[in-house]
Amino acid sequence: MIVNRYGGKTNINLGEDPLYLYIAWQCAGLVKKIVDAEKNERIEKWFSDKQEYHRVKKVTDSYMQDYYDKGKEPLFSSIELEIINRCNGECPFCPVNKYDDPRKLKKMDEKLFFKIIDELSELGYKGRLALHSNNEPFLDSRIIDFAKYARERLPYAFIYMYTNGTLVTLDKFIKIIPYLNRMVIDNYDDNLKLHENAESINKYCKEHRELDRKVEIHVRKVHEVLKTRGGQSPNNKKKNTLKMSCILPFKQMVIRPDGKTSLCCNDPYGKYTMADLNKVTLQEAWYSTRYEQVRKGLRKGRKKIRLCKYCDTLPNPKGY
């Protein structure tokens, strides 16, 4: 399935969105008739961002009140496993694009990967398992075998991955897709054209309709400005502190190739190491003092955690 998020229209609903946003949206309808396409796009993005902020803040506050504030912190429901800390992408919005990545090359030891998957199996894990994080998973030749092992040990987990697809030949796709619930290919091209691998995979999925629901090809521009990624995005240095908490350290565990866990997916450099899975179990790590300290601070607002202070990521609890 091809997904194109450009040119979408925001629909402000008075029942779900604040009054000021609804009034502004009504007024903007008149303005958009007399401005050019570029300004229309900026207006649309402003409303989309504001709407996302208010809606995500509402569900985040509700989750915190129902669980964390009552002393009921569930086990993580989302894990990202980074088996190699490299990406071959050039994206200027990413802090670990191939030109800016300062990390020392590291691949996850097979024994550590098996240990993590086996622990999840013992926990009867049914949550989300991403076979990627801040990397391109197909830079590691073991990715298909790892996906197979994860599926065998975790039959009820939602196993997925994001990839730019440049290394995913049709042969590799056919081998790995049976083990995944979802594959998302971020097809980067400023003209929104499919590259060769994405084109062949899309054609194959159209011929095998049972796969079309498992595969999303997102057509995306390379040169765009996205979120600040914890204030670390090379092309977005905006400094604004959102007046809300963030759900990620309450639901997501991100594991780097060395077995250490990061604050969240917006901590690619591992500035906040939360635990070392070479020394403790997943469950011990999740309920450790370090995690609790961060959650306690973040519950009071993003300004309490240095990496979160200028982060404008808006993860919806329902997606984790």
Side-chain angles (χ1 to χ4, degrees):
M1 177 174 65
I2 304 293
V3 178
N4 187 341
R5 62 188 182 83
Y6 300 99
K9 299 294 183 181
T10 304
N11 185 26
I12 305 299
N13 188 319
L14 187 56
E16 296 183 64
D17 302 306
L19 178 60
Y20 87 88
L21 199 59
Y22 179 78
I23 294 174
W25 180 65
Q26 294 288 348
C27 296
L30 300 174
V31 176
K32 291 170 70 174
K33 294 178 181 179
I34 59 175
V35 298
D36 59 31
E38 184 178 343
K39 289 181 180 178
N40 257 300
E41 186 176 334
R42 290 205 298 266
I43 291 172
E44 196 66 43
K45 186 177 186 308
W46 185 88
F47 278 104
S48 177
D49 290 347
K50 289 294 183 182
Q51 182 183 64
E52 182 185 23
Y53 168 75
H54 287 290
R55 293 189 177 185
V56 171
K57 184 179 186 301
K58 183 178 180 180
V59 293
T60 299
D61 288 343
S62 177
Y63 180 89
M64 297 294 190
Q65 292 165 8
D66 290 343
Y67 293 96
Y68 184 76
D69 292 352
K70 294 180 180 179
K72 299 187 297 182
E73 180 58 37
L75 191 65
F76 49 80
S77 55
S78 180
I79 284 190
E80 290 189 3
L81 261 178
E82 186 178 80
I83 63 171
I84 182 172
N85 61 352
R86 279 293 179 276
C87 186
N88 61 340
E90 303 178 0
C91 310
F93 51 78
C94 180
V96 291
N97 68 67
K98 70 177 186 178
Y99 300 121
D100 292 314
D101 195 345
R103 300 175 297 181
K104 183 178 180 180
L105 177 61
K106 178 68 178 178
K107 289 186 176 182
M108 182 174 286
D109 185 272
E110 289 186 1
K111 291 182 180 179
L112 176 60
F113 178 85
F114 296 146
K115 171 185 179 292
I116 292 168
I117 299 301
D118 289 346
E119 283 188 24
L120 289 172
S121 178
E122 291 169 8
L123 290 168
Y125 187 66
K126 299 179 181 180
R128 297 165 64 88
L129 173 62
L131 297 177
H132 74 278
S133 188
N134 288 284
N135 69 324
E136 167 48 54
F138 282 89
L139 282 172
D140 193 311
S141 61
R142 304 170 298 173
I143 187 62
I144 297 174
D145 290 336
F146 279 177
K148 181 176 184 293
Y149 187 80
R151 173 53 67 205
E152 291 173 347
R153 298 289 286 148
L154 302 169
Y156 304 111
F158 185 89
I159 303 177
Y160 69 107
M161 68 164 56
Y162 277 67
T163 169
N164 60 37
T166 57
L167 303 176
V168 189
T169 62
L170 184 58
D171 179 60
K172 290 180 180 178
F173 171 79
I174 292 171
K175 288 179 179 178
I176 199 171
I177 196 62
Y179 311 128
L180 304 177
N181 294 93
R182 180 71 49 80
M183 174 185 280
V184 178
I185 299 175
D186 280 326
N187 182 101
Y188 291 106
D189 182 272
D190 285 336
N191 296 314
L192 304 182
K193 301 294 184 181
L194 295 186
H195 56 66
E196 183 179 354
N197 286 345
E199 186 70 67
S200 63
I201 290 171
N202 182 53
K203 181 180 178 181
Y204 185 82
C205 288
K206 297 305 179 186
E207 295 170 351
H208 300 79
R209 302 298 298 186
E210 72 279 5
L211 296 180
D212 207 32
R213 63 184 177 82
K214 297 178 68 173
V215 180
E216 292 182 3
I217 300 176
H218 293 191
V219 288
R220 300 183 57 179
K221 296 177 181 178
V222 179
H223 296 91
E224 60 180 330
V225 179
L226 300 178
K227 300 295 186 180
T228 64
R229 298 293 299 276
Q232 300 170 116
S233 173
N235 71 353
N236 186 351
K237 299 300 183 181
K238 180 178 65 176
K239 292 188 176 182
N240 179 44
T241 303
L242 297 181
K243 296 180 179 179
M244 63 175 290
S245 185
C246 176
I247 201 65
L248 292 180
F250 296 84
K251 301 197 76 174
Q252 179 198 63
M253 179 178 283
V254 176
I255 306 171
R256 306 196 300 271
D258 59 3
K260 295 178 180 178
T261 66
S262 298
L263 174 63
C264 70
C265 53
N266 287 317
D267 183 18
Y269 304 144
K271 291 182 177 179
Y272 279 70
T273 292
M274 310 299 289
D276 186 346
L277 296 178
N278 295 289
K279 301 177 181 179
V280 298
T281 66
L282 289 164
Q283 202 161 11
E284 288 171 340
W286 187 247
Y287 293 112
S288 67
T289 301
R290 179 62 170 153
Y291 267 103
E292 176 53 28
Q293 288 173 340
V294 167
R295 292 182 189 123
K296 185 177 180 179
L298 192 54
R299 183 66 182 101
K300 297 176 182 178
R302 298 194 182 201
K303 64 181 179 181
K304 297 293 182 179
I305 306 298
R306 182 177 299 178
L307 190 63
C308 307
K309 187 174 182 179
Y310 298 128
C311 185
D312 57 358
T313 299
L314 292 168
N316 193 319
K318 295 178 182 179
Y320 291 86

